[in-house]
Amino acid sequence: MESILEQVQHIAKGVVAKNAFDVDKQARWPEEGLRALQQAGIAGLSVPVEYGGLGHGSFAVAQVCELLGQECASTAMCFGMHCVGSAVLSAKATTDQQERFLHPISAGEHLTTLSLSEAGTGSHFYIPNTRLDAKSPEKYHVTGTKTFVTNGQHADSYVISTVAADQDGPMGEFSCIVVPADAKGLSWGPPWSGLGMRGNSSTSLTLDKVAITRDNLLGEEGDQIWYVFQVVAPFFLMAMTGTYLGIASAALEEARIHLLRRQYTESGTGLSQLPVVQHRLGTLWGMLERTRRLCYHAAATFDAGDPDALPTVFTAKAEVADCAVTVVNEVMTLTGGLAYRDDSRLHQLLRDARAAHVMAPTTDMLRTWTGRVLLGLPILGV
């Protein structure tokens, strides 16, 4: 893993950092960084070795996203969503799916992503309205609209959640299916333009009776809730966790550099010599470091197969959301008016960090899920 992180660090400091300002300013998809990661052989990070991948779990995804997030949160999130989609594809992959999707992903020839969110269900991303209609023993029609599809219009495939095809099946049974980008019946909404994470290309996707063969179904009909809590949630939460750790880490470094450089002209005293400044910087470092340790522990626990890992994973994303927003906000106070310019690095970091509480599962939802687990109640309250 060390050599992979060295490669990612090299790409982050070079290719990703070089394009980060333009990605944010122009709200453009961070193609250069993502293609560099593919070319370096890192695209198969969460694909098992037997399918041609690197065979790593959510811990590796968090580490990679943190390194990328230190330079460009959009690149980190786009790559993280590719890793989540790859993990979902890998979980119950058939031989055919291994050949059509996983081997090309591992070879850096295929980019995938996850598409769960819908306007009608909001942060309840695990309850899709998109329909999967069985038209024949070999074919489905997929109909519905997805929102906030990261990597939208740039991925080669989309992992879609749908209502299970069996209309007589129990309520709450959903399915996951992979939709190729060149399938007929796909249409995209307006380009993504957000306060932060402006390079995500998180556009809406409408599927109008998209014909998909049954060999694109992931697992069995009704497997979606299994996917949500055994694959999607841990990998997705760790991808976001790593990204926001990267944002907080970048902000803290901005503060450290500023404090070391800044001097009062009348006295020649450095800002770094003030005890109150030292105290505040030390407090922020402690917040970031304990949050990082919790997040990495959560990922390692899940990867080890601990049956009690989920509440720790839930809490990790909730804690990092609080941490990222607090650290960036406090660093803006420490660095003063220079940080308040609309083209400052901290201006971008603050806008990106604020998405942490908004992206589903939201912080409130994760806190509730954790409490339900601790009380021995069903996570979804049903």
Side-chain angles (χ1 to χ4, degrees):
M1 187 62 203
E2 185 175 344
S3 63
I4 294 173
L5 294 178
E6 288 176 358
Q7 285 180 291
V8 173
Q9 181 80 291
H10 179 73
I11 293 170
K13 293 295 184 184
V15 180
V16 174
K18 178 182 176 181
N19 292 281
F21 181 82
D22 287 342
V23 165
D24 178 69
K25 198 74 172 178
Q26 300 169 15
R28 82 175 162 78
W29 188 66
E31 181 168 9
E32 297 89 349
L34 294 171
R35 298 307 182 205
L37 291 163
Q38 286 183 302
Q39 292 166 11
I42 300 169
L45 183 68
S46 58
V47 176
V49 173
E50 58 267 32
Y51 305 156
L54 297 174
H56 290 286
S58 65
F59 189 6
V61 172
Q63 289 176 291
V64 167
C65 286
E66 180 174 359
L67 291 177
L68 295 172
Q70 288 172 7
E71 308 300 334
C72 176
S74 287
T75 303
M77 190 59 67
C78 287
F79 185 72
M81 290 300 289
H82 163 78
C83 290
V84 180
S86 299
V88 176
L89 281 165
S90 300
K92 296 186 177 183
T94 64
T95 302
D96 172 67
Q97 290 166 357
Q98 295 166 28
E99 291 301 319
R100 287 192 295 130
F101 300 111
L102 299 180
H103 286 291
I105 285 172
S106 301
E109 299 167 354
H110 187 103
L111 191 76
T112 192
T113 198
L114 198 65
S115 180
L116 303 187
S117 297
E118 298 183 10
T121 56
S123 60
H124 300 136
F125 64 95
Y126 47 85
I127 308 177
N129 290 315
T130 297
R131 299 199 318 274
L132 185 68
D133 298 317
K135 306 309 291 184
S136 74
E138 294 80 29
K139 186 179 294 184
Y140 293 113
H141 277 179
V142 184
T143 302
T145 298
K146 296 295 184 177
T147 56
F148 303 115
V149 183
T150 300
N151 295 316
Q153 290 186 281
H154 297 283
D156 299 298
S157 65
Y158 299 88
V159 176
I160 306 283
S161 60
T162 72
V163 176
D166 183 3
Q167 300 299 318
D168 296 323
M171 285 189 63
E173 283 200 352
F174 312 115
S175 300
C176 286
I177 194 163
V178 57
V179 177
D182 59 1
K184 293 181 179 180
L186 302 184
S187 59
W188 294 93
W192 164 247
S193 180
L195 175 70
M197 295 288 184
R198 287 173 51 76
N200 283 11
S201 190
S202 293
T203 55
S204 61
L205 168 62
T206 297
L207 305 100
D208 184 12
K209 297 180 180 178
V210 177
I212 299 294
T213 55
R214 283 181 178 260
D215 54 11
N216 279 25
L217 181 70
L218 301 179
E220 302 295 328
E221 288 185 16
D223 267 356
Q224 199 253 349
I225 290 297
W226 179 89
Y227 276 108
V228 164
F229 290 109
Q230 298 304 317
V231 188
V232 174
F235 275 89
F236 183 38
L237 293 174
M238 285 303 112
M240 287 193 289
T241 290
T243 299
Y244 292 113
L245 284 174
I247 291 171
S249 180
L252 196 65
E253 182 62 9
E254 288 287 317
R256 191 185 71 82
I257 292 171
H258 174 81
L259 296 177
L260 287 170
R261 289 177 177 171
R262 190 79 165 91
Q263 289 190 324
Y264 292 107
T265 54
E266 74 277 7
S267 65
T269 303
L271 198 57
S272 63
Q273 295 173 275
L274 299 179
V276 66
V277 167
Q278 297 162 2
H279 172 83
R280 293 188 69 169
L281 186 67
T283 299
L284 293 178
W285 183 89
M287 176 184 292
L288 173 58
E289 189 62 17
R290 68 174 176 264
T291 303
R292 178 184 285 116
R293 294 305 158 198
L294 169 65
C295 294
Y296 283 179
H297 167 71
T301 301
F302 171 76
D303 289 348
D306 188 329
D308 299 320
L310 270 183
T312 313
V313 172
F314 297 157
T315 300
K317 194 265 185 176
E319 290 292 325
V320 81
D322 287 339
C323 174
V325 172
T326 299
V327 168
V328 180
N329 192 55
E330 289 301 307
V331 166
M332 289 192 79
T333 302
L334 280 174
T335 53
L338 290 174
Y340 207 66
R341 299 172 309 184
D342 65 5
D343 62 345
S344 77
R345 173 73 167 131
L346 284 168
H347 182 272
Q348 177 185 343
L349 292 173
L350 184 63
R351 288 185 285 104
D352 286 342
R354 193 59 187 81
H357 287 302
V358 176
M359 286 187 174
T362 61
T363 302
D364 286 338
M365 181 176 287
L366 290 167
R367 299 290 193 198
T368 301
W369 284 357
T370 300
R372 295 189 70 83
V373 171
L374 296 177
L375 293 170
L377 300 172
I379 293 174
L380 300 182
V382 293

